[in-house]
Amino acid sequence: MSRLVKEQLKKEVAAMNQFPGFRPGLVVLQVGDRDDSNLYISMKLKAAAEIGINANHIRLPETATEDEVLQRIVAVNENPAVHGLIVQLPLDSINPMNTEKVTNAVAPEKDVDGLTSINAGKLSRGDLGDCFIPCTPNGCMELISQTGVSVMGKNAVVIGRSKIVGAPMHDLLLWNHATVTTCHSKTLDLAEQVGRADILVVGAGRAEMVKGEWVKEGAVVIDCGINHIPDSSKASGKRVVGDVHYPSAIERAGYITPVPGGVGPMTVAMLMKNTVESAKRFLQKYTPGKWNIEYTKKNPLEPQPSDAEISCSCQSKPIGQLAREVGLFSEEVEPYGRSRAKIRLDALKPLSSINSFYVTVTRITSTPLGEGKCTTTLGLAQALGAHLNINTFACVQEPSPGSFFGARGIAVGGGYSQIIPLEEVCLRPCIYILQALFDLLVPLKKGQRSVSPAQLNRLKKLGIEKSDPLTRTEIRRFVQLDIDPDTDSGSLENEIMAILSLSSSEEEMQQRLAKIVVATNKSGDPVTTEDLVCVGPLAMLLKDALKPVLMQTVEGTPVFLHTSPLADIAQGSPSILADKLALKMVGSGGFVVTESGHGADIGLEKFFNIKCRYSGLRPDVVVIVATVHSLKMHGGVQAGLPLPKEYSQENLKQLERGCCHLKRQVENAQAFGLPVIVAVNKFSGDTEAELELVCGQARQAGAFDAVQCTNWSEGGAGALALAEAVQRAAKQPGQFSFLYDTQIPAADKLRTVAQKMYGAKDIALSPKSKEKLALYTKQGFGNLPVCIAKTHLSLSNDPMLKGVPTNFMLPITDIKANVGAGFLCCLTESVSFILLYL
């Protein structure tokens, strides 16, 4: 009879070939090496192979601890290729094992043995279609069914009350409409009870306890017992019998199962049936390459609440749930509270070829009113994910203190396109580097700083008359060696942040840290952190900071926040690790939406020429964010003055003049060979004529498309047009190229960026800059990319010049070799290292 069940299951498994590469998966977890367990497991593995189930046997030694067993169970629970998990009992370990705890650790949806309390509870409640039934009782029901005897209305007697057979057998017969009596070894009138049974199921574990004369004439007898009794005729000296005396019972029963060969094979067949059923349930929710993720589409309120009020009104998913939804395993996730977690770098391995789409979001040159670049990044990700059902990750920078306390929001989005919960977004989750170094050098012991005599002398030399607490400036002076102001005027903290952002592994981070130039010796050679033998402690401090932070948007879209390198003296974008991990998680056809700092002339240029050069990643689409009021300012409207709100010819003229700036930024993005989409963030004061003018001007400038966005007030729904445009653009064949070859002289690289991105006539190198370039070229750093630090408020170095300045010289006043980060930081006349690091 079990053979017929297995033949049917084999056909059902073959029908799953419509899902390429898919097979039902089963894991048998064993502790110890008991002979009887090995025999049962071999039977299960053989049956699985016959049906086409991919079965694996995990054997832990008898020295395994309960924690080790639980860890293995969690790993199997989270493996989407496994649909059934069997914990072979008994757990043969020399260490204490709580069997109930271990069996309940199996995910109910993979508990094909039906032994977890959740499945047992559902069975006792009658939820037969929403649970897995233990295999032996299920097999008994199948055997009864094959006799042709209807269970409904029959008197059924179950002897035994174990969790594996007796108790679930009672529930199963009851919910199939039998009148059920449960008996056991202490039942006084056992023979009388058996004599009334139309259906008798025995699982007491006592050899031949039920006598044939007890059995009702014509009854169906299912014997679940397996016992050994002495038999001198057998080579082993014993034979297997059931709980029913078979020779006498067969004379009265209408049907009786033999032992062995009766219930045992059907139990194995039911185990296979449960595994196939689990795989079917998985396929009902499974779409190849798609996350099984829950999104929360919001209904915006009017008038719109504040960002904080919106955040408080949104219930974020537990971070563990979000991690599972996007395919992360528990051992890859380090929760920090309910709504935030760091992701271990093991999640990046193995990293196969990337077939997902990579979108970068930038903006026009910034104005005091802001453009909403981060808000658009998150809104676009929500539109692609929650509304178009495409695997999508957003990657943004961690907010810095300036973005929290400045006038333009919190730099983690806004309105209905923001990261939640707001109160759990740290100012700098990656830790303050200098503070961490100070804690390492001067550790706290019983609440007091342990300051050595040598350290006290150093503080005195610096004119600091105290040892604790120190201000941030005092800590910087204490930690940094001010060896030579001409060659060491940069900030260790900012270069380390850039290193974190540009490293793809712990090994690469350590290599970059070793290259940090802290001084130049008398022979003109660079002195590095490796020379000072401090790379090890630095790497130890930064190991945890290298892990991206996982959070979510208002609508439940996953977001990585990681690193906050400045956008002027560094590349100003989320980390390479965050982008690579996100690209892996979304899979083939998914989207990763990342941001670049400042405008297309600064942030996007550095994103391509620095970040993409080191990551090896090539974006598919560029999105430029613009607003009507910002373009009016580039057209001549002064900051701080009321912007015209009513439609007028003069109003449109101002806007049209400002659109020349948009045209320039579109051309800047196109210089890298990618399709460009302009996203126009719509404000309540914008008129339809103004919005149409901006979109029309963008298309005339060569943009692939230009669309209006209302994601601040409507969430992902307000960025649907943008998402659809991005989808179309991503399918276009791109011919990405860098702006310059790093092998050309550094001065030529600077000139290329200044002329092609800013529209400068030429560069003007100060004597100090020329001296620095000569030194760095001699030291072998001349082939590094360049990072120009200039004002983000203008295409030129003058923050007061809006629109498209022309015929200006770009003065390069100083240069710092950030060798660890991998670029030459070049300052213009409007920026100094001292001001940047205050």
Side-chain angles (χ1 to χ4, degrees):
M1 292 183 178
S2 62
R3 178 180 55 82
L4 297 177
V5 174
K6 289 192 284 188
E7 287 178 357
Q8 176 60 32
L9 292 175
K10 187 175 182 179
K11 294 177 181 177
E12 293 178 14
V13 170
M16 295 178 184
N17 289 337
Q18 59 181 304
F19 301 96
F22 181 86
R23 288 174 65 191
L26 175 67
V27 167
V28 182
L29 178 62
Q30 178 186 13
V31 179
D33 194 26
R34 286 174 56 118
D35 290 339
D36 54 349
S37 292
N38 290 334
L39 176 61
Y40 298 146
I41 291 170
S42 66
M43 293 168 57
K44 295 169 184 175
L45 297 178
K46 180 182 178 183
E50 291 173 355
I51 293 168
I53 294 172
N54 182 25
N56 290 285
H57 179 199
I58 299 175
R59 180 188 283 122
L60 300 179
E62 64 177 4
T63 56
T65 64
E66 184 177 272
D67 282 345
E68 290 172 335
V69 175
L70 293 174
Q71 287 173 12
R72 285 301 187 100
I73 291 174
V74 169
V76 176
N77 284 344
E78 296 177 345
N79 187 345
V82 177
H83 310 100
L85 170 57
I86 304 167
V87 178
Q88 185 66 41
L89 301 178
L91 300 167
D92 185 26
S93 173
I94 61 175
N95 296 304
M97 289 276 176
N98 184 332
T99 302
E100 187 79 5
K101 182 178 180 181
V102 170
T103 53
N104 276 315
V106 178
E109 66 272 16
K110 297 189 178 185
D111 173 30
V112 291
D113 255 339
L115 300 181
T116 63
S117 296
I118 290 177
N119 278 320
K122 289 182 176 181
L123 174 58
S124 68
R125 261 185 352 191
D127 297 336
L128 305 188
D130 190 34
C131 70
F132 284 115
I133 300 168
C135 299
T136 299
N138 208 13
C140 293
M141 292 299 294
E142 181 67 25
L143 290 168
I144 295 170
S145 173
Q146 292 182 6
T147 68
V149 174
S150 172
V151 173
M152 183 182 297
K154 297 295 191 299
N155 287 321
V157 172
V158 178
I159 302 179
R161 50 188 171 180
S162 72
K163 295 178 181 178
I164 297 177
V165 180
M169 192 71 234
H170 171 278
D171 294 335
L172 203 51
L173 285 164
L174 181 66
W175 293 112
N176 279 274
H177 312 297
T179 301
V180 187
T181 302
T182 297
C183 301
H184 44 78
S185 58
K186 299 295 189 293
T187 301
L188 297 178
D189 57 344
L190 186 58
E192 184 179 342
Q193 295 289 345
V194 171
R196 290 199 293 266
D198 301 312
I199 298 172
L200 176 65
V201 181
V202 188
R206 295 179 62 177
E208 299 180 330
M209 69 174 291
V210 176
K211 310 306 178 184
E213 57 268 25
W214 297 359
V215 177
K216 181 180 180 179
E217 193 76 32
V220 174
V221 180
I222 308 296
D223 190 352
C224 302
I226 298 180
N227 310 282
H228 295 87
I229 62 174
D231 187 340
S232 58
S233 67
K234 300 292 183 181
S236 62
K238 56 185 178 180
R239 62 188 173 90
V240 177
V241 296
D243 290 355
V244 179
H245 187 264
Y246 186 83
S248 59
I250 196 173
E251 299 295 327
R252 295 178 61 82
Y255 173 83
I256 185 171
T257 56
V259 177
V263 173
M266 187 60 78
T267 297
V268 174
M270 290 300 103
L271 178 62
M272 300 301 114
K273 183 177 181 180
N274 279 353
T275 302
V276 173
E277 176 60 28
S278 178
K280 288 180 180 177
R281 294 177 185 177
F282 174 80
L283 288 174
Q284 287 175 356
K285 300 178 181 179
Y286 168 76
T287 302
K290 293 291 186 183
W291 295 334
N292 183 19
I293 185 171
E294 294 180 6
Y295 292 110
T296 305
K297 298 177 183 177
K298 307 300 294 185
N299 294 318
L301 300 177
E302 292 185 7
Q304 182 161 326
S306 68
D307 290 353
E309 288 172 329
I310 292 173
S311 177
C312 290
S313 69
C314 297
Q315 180 64 45
S316 61
K317 291 180 285 189
I319 198 64
Q321 176 186 336
L322 178 64
R324 289 191 298 273
E325 288 176 343
V326 300
L328 289 164
F329 297 142
S330 292
E331 65 264 20
E332 298 169 339
V333 181
E334 298 176 0
Y336 283 73
R338 182 183 182 278
S339 306
R340 183 181 54 187
K342 281 185 173 290
I343 307 303
R344 297 177 181 172
L345 303 192
D346 292 343
L348 199 58
K349 303 173 183 176
L351 182 62
S352 56
S353 58
I354 294 173
N355 296 314
S356 39
F357 297 110
Y358 191 31
V359 181
T360 182
V361 180
T362 185
R363 68 184 179 204
I364 61 174
T365 295
S366 182
T367 65
L369 297 173
E371 288 69 48
K373 172 172 60 68
C374 188
T375 302
T376 302
T377 300
L378 299 175
L380 172 57
Q382 289 183 155
L384 288 165
H387 296 264
L388 296 181
N389 196 30
I390 301 171
N391 294 358
T392 305
F393 240 106
C395 294
V396 299
Q397 286 190 239
E398 294 166 348
S400 61
S403 59
F404 262 81
F405 302 118
R408 293 188 301 156
I410 55 171
V412 286
Y416 289 98
S417 295
Q418 63 169 300
I419 297 172
I420 60 167
L422 187 59
E423 64 273 13
E424 290 195 22
V425 180
C426 285
L427 291 178
R428 189 72 69 87
C430 277
I431 74 173
Y432 287 100
I433 307 302
L434 294 180
Q435 181 66 50
L437 285 170
F438 181 69
D439 291 341
L440 184 68
L441 293 169
V442 191
L444 277 170
K445 293 183 179 179
K446 296 181 179 180
Q448 299 293 323
R449 292 282 179 189
S450 178
V451 186
S452 69
Q455 290 171 336
L456 285 172
N457 289 336
R458 172 161 174 74
L459 287 169
K460 290 179 181 178
K461 287 181 181 179
L462 296 171
I464 302 173
E465 300 297 330
K466 57 181 179 177
S467 59
D468 189 41
L470 299 182
T471 66
R472 190 176 178 192
T473 300
E474 290 169 340
I475 289 174
R476 177 182 287 112
R477 292 178 63 203
F478 176 81
V479 170
Q480 289 186 234
L481 295 176
D482 195 14
I483 297 174
D484 184 343
D486 290 330
T487 59
D488 186 39
S489 55
S491 165
L492 175 63
E493 180 182 5
N494 285 292
E495 181 167 6
I496 289 177
M497 183 59 76
I499 287 172
L500 280 173
S501 184
L502 293 170
S503 297
S504 291
S505 64
E506 288 183 22
E507 294 76 17
E508 183 180 348
M509 179 187 71
Q510 191 154 347
Q511 293 167 4
R512 287 178 176 274
L513 290 172
K515 295 177 182 178
I516 295 176
V517 175
V518 298
T520 297
N521 64 21
K522 293 181 178 179
S523 301
D525 299 321
V527 178
T528 67
T529 47
E530 187 173 41
D531 297 326
L532 300 179
V533 197
C534 63
V535 176
L538 270 175
M540 179 184 69
L541 283 168
L542 297 169
K543 183 177 181 181
D544 190 58
L546 197 59
K547 302 169 185 173
V549 176
L550 175 66
M551 292 190 73
Q552 62 195 282
T553 69
V554 165
E555 296 184 1
T557 301
V559 183
F560 278 137
L561 292 91
H562 199 215
T563 70
S564 53
L566 298 178
D568 33 33
I569 59 171
Q571 75 282 7
S573 55
S575 73
I576 287 174
L577 271 173
D579 287 1
K580 283 188 173 181
L581 183 55
L583 285 164
K584 177 191 175 183
M585 301 312 301
V586 299
S588 180
F591 278 80
V592 171
V593 184
T594 192
E595 63 174 347
S596 61
H598 291 334
D601 56 317
I602 302 177
L604 187 66
E605 180 271 318
K606 294 172 184 176
F607 177 89
F608 287 132
N609 286 321
I610 297 177
K611 181 177 178 179
C612 290
R613 202 181 291 272
Y614 286 121
S615 70
L617 301 175
R618 300 294 180 263
D620 300 284
V621 183
V622 176
V623 174
I624 297 179
V625 181
T627 62
V628 168
H629 59 233
S630 290
L631 290 173
K632 285 179 181 178
M633 291 186 66
H634 283 291
V637 176
Q638 294 183 14
L641 293 180
L643 296 177
K645 293 182 179 180
E646 302 298 330
Y647 172 78
S648 70
Q649 195 64 31
E650 181 59 28
N651 193 22
L652 290 179
K653 286 182 179 178
Q654 290 175 327
L655 181 58
E656 189 170 8
R657 283 196 296 269
C659 284
C660 66
H661 176 84
L662 175 61
K663 179 177 183 294
R664 176 73 203 200
Q665 295 289 35
V666 169
E667 292 170 350
N668 283 342
Q670 289 176 321
F672 298 92
L674 299 177
V676 179
I677 296 173
V678 173
V680 185
N681 267 339
K682 182 179 179 180
F683 284 71
S684 58
D686 299 340
T687 66
E688 194 60 33
E690 291 171 337
L691 294 166
E692 290 179 0
L693 173 63
V694 173
C695 291
Q697 290 285 311
R699 295 188 190 100
Q700 288 181 26
F704 177 84
D705 202 352
V707 297
Q708 300 177 29
C709 295
T710 54
N711 45 269
W712 178 79
S713 58
E714 298 181 4
L720 268 175
L722 175 60
E724 291 166 351
V726 165
Q727 279 187 289
R728 296 194 305 271
K731 298 175 183 178
Q732 300 297 310
Q735 296 181 338
F736 176 81
S737 61
F738 294 113
L739 199 62
Y740 55 78
D741 187 332
T742 56
Q743 300 305 312
I744 66 175
D748 291 343
K749 286 179 277 194
L750 288 169
R751 184 173 291 107
T752 299
V753 173
Q755 292 177 339
K756 291 188 177 181
M757 292 288 106
Y758 313 152
K761 180 180 180 181
D762 203 348
I763 59 171
L765 293 171
S766 68
K768 185 178 183 179
S769 296
K770 291 178 180 178
E771 181 183 336
K772 291 283 191 72
L773 278 183
L775 173 65
Y776 295 146
T777 301
K778 176 185 175 183
Q779 292 175 337
F781 307 143
N783 60 348
L784 294 176
V786 294
C787 174
I788 300 178
K790 76 170 189 67
T791 178
H792 61 286
L793 299 175
S794 173
L795 287 170
S796 71
N797 65 304
D798 184 349
M800 301 306 295
L801 294 179
K802 303 301 181 183
V804 184
T806 58
N807 202 34
F808 64 92
M809 299 291 289
L810 185 70
I812 306 297
T813 58
D814 198 2
I815 299 176
K816 167 75 166 60
N818 287 337
V819 183
F823 53 76
L824 297 177
C825 184
C826 310
L827 299 190
T828 62
E829 191 175 66
S830 59
V831 182
S832 73
F833 283 122
I834 295 175
L835 289 174
L836 285 169
Y837 302 139
L838 287 177

PDB file of all heavy atoms in Angstrom, residues 178 259 355 454 459 603 621 719 782:
ATOM      1  N   ALA A 178     -15.270  10.037  14.081  1.00  0.00           N
ATOM      2  CA  ALA A 178     -15.432   8.790  14.824  1.00  0.00           C
ATOM      3  C   ALA A 178     -15.739   9.124  16.282  1.00  0.00           C
ATOM      4  O   ALA A 178     -15.446  10.217  16.760  1.00  0.00           O
ATOM      5  CB  ALA A 178     -14.174   7.934  14.730  1.00  0.00           C
ATOM      6  N   VAL A 259       3.244  -6.969  11.574  1.00  0.00           N
ATOM      7  CA  VAL A 259       4.447  -6.357  12.149  1.00  0.00           C
ATOM      8  C   VAL A 259       5.584  -7.356  12.004  1.00  0.00           C
ATOM      9  O   VAL A 259       5.480  -8.487  12.500  1.00  0.00           O
ATOM     10  CB  VAL A 259       4.255  -6.004  13.648  1.00  0.00           C
ATOM     11  CG1 VAL A 259       5.553  -5.435  14.218  1.00  0.00           C
ATOM     12  CG2 VAL A 259       3.105  -5.032  13.830  1.00  0.00           C
ATOM     13  N   ASN A 355      23.569  40.445 -11.867  1.00  0.00           N
ATOM     14  CA  ASN A 355      22.649  40.669 -12.985  1.00  0.00           C
ATOM     15  C   ASN A 355      21.520  41.612 -12.587  1.00  0.00           C
ATOM     16  O   ASN A 355      20.482  41.654 -13.249  1.00  0.00           O
ATOM     17  CB  ASN A 355      22.054  39.328 -13.454  1.00  0.00           C
ATOM     18  CG  ASN A 355      23.127  38.404 -14.002  1.00  0.00           C
ATOM     19  OD1 ASN A 355      23.971  38.823 -14.787  1.00  0.00           O
ATOM     20  ND2 ASN A 355      23.088  37.151 -13.589  1.00  0.00           N
ATOM     21  N   ALA A 454      53.595  59.279  30.682  1.00  0.00           N
ATOM     22  CA  ALA A 454      53.979  59.779  29.359  1.00  0.00           C
ATOM     23  C   ALA A 454      52.821  60.517  28.693  1.00  0.00           C
ATOM     24  O   ALA A 454      53.018  61.543  28.030  1.00  0.00           O
ATOM     25  CB  ALA A 454      54.437  58.608  28.478  1.00  0.00           C
ATOM     26  N   LEU A 459      49.954  65.699  27.208  1.00  0.00           N
ATOM     27  CA  LEU A 459      48.875  66.665  27.411  1.00  0.00           C
ATOM     28  C   LEU A 459      49.431  68.027  27.828  1.00  0.00           C
ATOM     29  O   LEU A 459      48.976  69.072  27.357  1.00  0.00           O
ATOM     30  CB  LEU A 459      47.892  66.144  28.474  1.00  0.00           C
ATOM     31  CG  LEU A 459      46.971  64.993  28.030  1.00  0.00           C
ATOM     32  CD1 LEU A 459      46.251  64.399  29.241  1.00  0.00           C
ATOM     33  CD2 LEU A 459      45.962  65.469  26.996  1.00  0.00           C
ATOM     34  N   GLY A 603      29.360  65.299  -6.576  1.00  0.00           N
ATOM     35  CA  GLY A 603      29.130  63.960  -6.036  1.00  0.00           C
ATOM     36  C   GLY A 603      29.089  62.878  -7.086  1.00  0.00           C
ATOM     37  O   GLY A 603      29.663  61.805  -6.918  1.00  0.00           O
ATOM     38  N   VAL A 621      21.590  53.472 -14.623  1.00  0.00           N
ATOM     39  CA  VAL A 621      20.762  54.668 -14.798  1.00  0.00           C
ATOM     40  C   VAL A 621      21.213  55.737 -13.811  1.00  0.00           C
ATOM     41  O   VAL A 621      21.596  55.434 -12.685  1.00  0.00           O
ATOM     42  CB  VAL A 621      19.262  54.363 -14.565  1.00  0.00           C
ATOM     43  CG1 VAL A 621      18.412  55.613 -14.815  1.00  0.00           C
ATOM     44  CG2 VAL A 621      18.785  53.213 -15.443  1.00  0.00           C
ATOM     45  N   ALA A 719       6.106  58.118  -6.658  1.00  0.00           N
ATOM     46  CA  ALA A 719       7.310  57.938  -7.491  1.00  0.00           C
ATOM     47  C   ALA A 719       7.120  56.835  -8.515  1.00  0.00           C
ATOM     48  O   ALA A 719       8.099  56.354  -9.093  1.00  0.00           O
ATOM     49  CB  ALA A 719       8.522  57.628  -6.602  1.00  0.00           C
ATOM     50  N   GLY A 782      51.032  59.755  -8.079  1.00  0.00           N
ATOM     51  CA  GLY A 782      50.508  60.586  -9.157  1.00  0.00           C
ATOM     52  C   GLY A 782      49.423  59.928  -9.974  1.00  0.00           C
ATOM     53  O   GLY A 782      48.682  60.608 -10.685  1.00  0.00           O
TER      54      GLY A 782
END
